[in-house]
Amino acid sequence: MLTAQDFEKLGFWEDTTPEENITVYGMDFEKTYVTLTDVDGKTPTDPNKPLIMAAYDDANCFLWFNEFASFAALTEVCATSPADREELFLLFEENCVK
């Protein structure tokens, strides 16, 4: 089972959304940020299920989304650049759906 500590190790922050009553994980960049949920828009808990990453600008406007096959796939991408660096945001964006 995935925990907040698993995401924190990759540089993600944790936030609870009162509207949906779920925990999302996110990462801030210079003028953008990304959030992670499971495919149902809920708190990700299964390391073997896909993760959905959504990107937003600093005005909270949706930019794109990306699907990672599993937590291991996300971890692999995160290992290529330090957290919150624009290079990492570009890697996240590389195979996104706009």
Side-chain angles (χ1 to χ4, degrees), residues 42-55:
K42 306 286 184 196
T43 305
T45 57
D46 188 334
N48 300 311
K49 290 195 175 177
L51 296 169
I52 303 300
M53 176 178 284

